[in-house]
Amino acid sequence: MHTLDLQKRILSFAHRNGVAEPRDELTKLVETLELGIPSHVLSGAQPQFVALQIALVGGERVENHLDELVVAGVISEDNRQ
Amino acid sequence: MTKTVELVLGAGGVKGYFHIGLLRAVEELGIKVGKLTGVSVGAIVATFYANGMSSNLILKLFLEAHETSGNPLLLASAVTVPDMRSFLVGMSFLSLEKPWEEAVERLGLTPNDRLRIVACDARTKKPVLFEGTDYKLHAALSASGALPGVFLPVHHGEQLLIDGAAYHRNPDEFCESTAIISALGFATRLSLEPQDPISFYYQWREVYAPVVRQPTEVDNERHVVVEHAADDICGLAFNLSVRRCMAMYEAGYKHGLAVLSKAIADGKIDGDCLSKP
């Protein structure tokens, strides 16, 4: 998947219904997948930029993780589009 | 206060891959980077770096963008009907403003205190400096790369701004301390690789009839200058193969590593500016 498409998917995941703080979702994703993105980027950058970094660093791993969350029903099928 | 070295990333279009290679060398040597000054493609690389992106991620993003650079939709988004004054300066129907406005928003890029972007006043040929946090990043990036004859200038109050390289290709005068200057050379001959007619035209222009004069002199005594030569590649050679792009990146890394290692050994880059002993 192209990085910018994956970035969109990550942002859609972080902004899904019921999430109070999208930034926390992005941080959790980084921690879960041990992506090693610096903390100053996670706390200081725009969510779009954090999602871009996650897409670039994680690539297929992030894609697979989001697929698993779709299968588990945590996020909706729309996230795949 | 932490000691740092400044970086100046010069203009040169697609040759920006050299800058990314140089940044990899900077990271490997543990050189702590303070302010970054960028012109044209240098401003783009500096913006990503100042926002917290490492060299390998910038490379990945550049290579992906390279694949889609011939996308007609991208070109269509740049087509603009200019006012007469802009047209007389830019002689073009392409503006970088809308594509950059969309990209800055989509990528979440922001201005910050480490970043300086240099553009040029089309009338006076004096520099216009964007720094701090209170300016529109997309306007600064568009202006800094608005090479007359290719792109339209950017309105900035009463001024029309063009490519910062028309003032200086590697402006070091804004640096407050020692800087590493990554300078991209000009094409000096035609390419032996097959080229599309537009790339051939731009290559011919850069070699035989440059659109604007671009001063390049820098203070060699004060700064560490890394000059990158690729004399058969012009700045607007957008149909380059990935192999050539990677070759520029690798050359920027190797040459950067050699020059910077020497500068550290000679004491020109202070040991206090290194995060590694």
Side-chain angles (χ1 to χ4, degrees), chain B residues 180-248:
Chain B
I180 296 165
I181 299 176
S182 184
L184 308 175
F186 294 100
T188 55
R189 61 185 169 90
L190 297 180
S191 173
L192 297 176
E193 278 207 350
Q195 283 185 306
D196 63 78
I198 295 174
S199 297
F200 178 80
Y201 168 73
Y202 286 133
Q203 179 106 9
W204 183 87
R205 288 292 309 243
E206 188 168 317
V207 175
Y208 299 109
V211 183
V212 285
R213 202 181 79 84
Q214 301 182 16
T216 58
E217 308 74 27
V218 290
D219 186 343
N220 281 288
E221 292 298 312
R222 186 177 174 215
H223 303 303
V224 179
V225 184
V226 184
E227 288 185 75
H228 308 282
D231 52 7
D232 66 334
I233 300 175
C234 80
L236 293 165
F238 292 118
N239 69 337
L240 279 186
S241 62
V242 169
R243 182 184 60 79
R244 295 292 318 258
C245 296
M246 284 303 294
M248 286 191 279

Side-chain angles (χ1 to χ4, degrees), chain B residues 18 20 44 47 51 56 66 78 83 89 101-102 107 114 120 152 159 165 172 201 205 217 219 222 229 252 268 273:
Chain B
F18 283 111
I20 308 173
I44 299 171
T47 299
N51 269 261
N56 64 327
H66 189 78
D83 58 82
V89 171
E101 187 172 10
E102 287 169 3
L107 304 178
R114 291 178 64 204
C120 175
L152 289 163
Q159 295 171 299
D172 60 348
Y201 168 73
R205 288 292 309 243
E217 308 74 27
D219 186 343
R222 186 177 174 215
K268 200 165 178 184
C273 299

Side-chain angles (χ1 to χ4, degrees), chain A residues 1-4 7 11 38 40-41 45-46 48-49 52-53 55-57, chain B residues 48 51-54 57 60-61 64-65 67-68 105-110:
Chain A
M1 183 181 253
H2 195 278
T3 298
L4 293 183
Q7 179 216 24
L11 282 172
H40 69 270
V41 174
Q46 298 276 320
Q48 300 98 303
F49 190 75
L52 178 67
Q53 290 249 30
L56 284 165
V57 174
Chain B
F48 281 110
N51 269 261
M53 195 171 272
S54 61
L57 297 188
K60 215 168 163 182
L61 206 56
E64 278 198 17
E67 278 174 27
T68 56
E105 170 64 27
R106 193 179 62 229
L107 304 178
L109 297 168
T110 51

